[in-house]
Amino acid sequence: MPSPEFLRRSAGLTLGAGFALASYAAWEARQYTVREVTVPLLPAGHAPLRVLHLSDIHMAPDQRAKQQWLRGLAELEPDLVIDTGDNLAHMASVPIVLDSMGPLLDRPGVSVFGSNDYFSPGWRNPLRYLVADNGRRNTHTPELPWRELKQRFADRGWMHLCNEFGRVTVGGTTFALAGVDDPHLRYDDLVAVAGPADAAADVRLGITHAPYLRVLDHYAAAGYDAIIAGHTHGGQVCLPGYGALTTNCDLEPARAKGLHRHPASSTPGDPGSSWLHVSAGLGTNPYVRFRVACRPEATLMTLVPKA
């Protein structure tokens, strides 16, 4: 039987390790990062375009470091901004999000909403982030001011896609867009965006907050060149050398963040699949402000002509 002294030391070491990990996870949740990827999407002869992908900002009024960092993204001078939702985390967040995005709202922009644009976040057991999506949705908390956010985006000229098609021309390149409402809340209406992607456009993008397979399959089968999504937080808690443990949807953890193909393929430019970019996002649930081996991010996607 272990001695009392051994038990005391073991308990002390366990508590110390737990405190160190929690401190690190809280620190990493504020290490905002710009990730850059190059995607061959454009027709031959088109000039490269810079697309800034924002997702899962989860803004709360007290997150001043995040607000300052977000303001600085305007220096990237993107040609197009795509916001894949979960912007809010507080009833008073709308003016803060708008102020933090600042000059980005003067750029052409497209948005879809996620569950945390619609409903206030609530406390949840952190261990639930380590298990697969259980199908239950948080719709019992008060509504957030998503209508105001949608209107303010529209006032600045941004296009909001809620189970509908859109079209935007940037730098001489025409984008045909389709966007669904949040699949995590089952608000997506794939019938409303049915049919083949617009072949007359230069680039075809399918946009969603949560990368549920039913949505990804729909976009890929319809011929969209790329699918843009968020929601997963990149797993939020990852194991170094292994990666994400979960995605909070039915997408497999191996594609929890970054640039991939859908259906999954190891062949770049596989004509049977679309590019898929999943952002690890900028924020967390305000009650669980930690990340492990998965820094918060925005992604600058440089679109170049196809080989």
Side-chain angles (χ1 to χ4, degrees):
M1 180 176 180
S3 67
E5 179 63 21
F6 175 82
L7 293 175
R8 283 194 296 271
R9 288 184 178 180
S10 297
L13 289 173
T14 300
L15 289 173
F19 177 78
L21 178 60
S23 298
Y24 170 80
W27 172 84
E28 184 166 1
R30 298 189 298 276
Q31 303 311 300
Y32 307 109
T33 301
V34 174
R35 189 162 55 83
E36 298 192 31
V37 298
T38 300
V39 193
L41 286 183
L42 304 180
H46 283 235
L49 293 173
R50 294 154 68 86
V51 176
L52 180 63
H53 181 191
L54 300 176
S55 196
D56 300 271
I57 296 172
H58 293 281
M59 185 66 77
D62 64 331
Q63 295 176 322
R64 293 179 179 83
K66 184 193 296 184
Q67 294 158 25
Q68 181 178 2
W69 188 85
L70 188 54
R71 288 187 194 100
L73 292 179
E75 297 177 3
L76 297 175
E77 299 185 343
D79 300 294
L80 176 67
V81 182
I82 298 178
D83 182 324
T84 49
D86 274 7
N87 298 280
L88 307 177
H90 191 278
M91 290 293 184
S93 289
V94 170
I96 297 170
V97 168
L98 296 169
D99 178 70
S100 299
M101 294 180 75
L104 289 176
L105 295 172
D106 296 325
R107 302 276 176 172
V110 181
S111 67
V112 296
F113 280 166
S115 60
N116 283 275
D117 293 303
Y118 292 118
F119 296 100
S120 301
W123 188 91
R124 64 184 298 179
N125 185 337
L127 295 178
R128 287 181 58 188
Y129 286 103
L130 303 180
V131 298
D133 177 36
N134 61 13
R136 288 181 291 179
R137 306 293 178 259
N138 175 27
T139 59
H140 62 277
T141 57
E143 275 198 6
L144 289 167
W146 60 270
R147 295 174 183 85
E148 179 186 359
L149 181 63
K150 179 180 177 181
Q151 184 59 53
R152 298 290 293 275
F153 277 171
D155 291 344
R156 300 296 294 270
W158 276 30
M159 179 186 304
H160 183 74
L161 297 176
C162 182
N163 298 319
E164 56 193 313
F165 298 106
R167 194 176 183 89
V168 62
T169 299
V170 179
T173 297
T174 301
F175 291 83
L177 310 168
V180 293
D181 206 352
D182 182 29
H184 192 59
L185 294 175
R186 300 191 182 95
Y187 288 174
D188 55 306
D189 183 354
L190 297 180
V191 174
V193 290
D198 185 356
D202 297 313
V203 179
R204 291 147 289 276
L205 299 181
I207 303 172
T208 180
H209 171 65
Y212 278 84
L213 294 177
R214 65 181 183 272
V215 179
L216 306 186
D217 291 344
H218 175 89
Y219 282 147
Y224 285 89
D225 300 304
I227 306 166
I228 313 298
H231 174 72
T232 66
H233 295 192
Q236 189 162 329
V237 175
C238 300
L239 295 181
Y242 178 82
L245 302 177
T246 184
T247 62
N248 200 26
C249 64
D250 59 359
L251 182 70
E252 72 277 14
R255 294 189 291 168
K257 64 179 178 180
L259 188 66
H260 303 276
R261 301 290 294 185
H262 187 85
S265 172
S266 60
T267 304
D270 181 354
S273 66
S274 304
W275 288 106
L276 168 65
H277 184 264
V278 182
S279 172
L282 282 171
T284 66
N285 181 307
Y287 298 99
V288 190
R289 296 183 183 183
F290 63 73
R291 284 179 177 246
V292 176
C294 184
R295 293 190 172 186
E297 68 180 26
T299 304
L300 186 64
M301 306 170 64
T302 300
L303 309 188
V304 299
K306 300 174 185 176

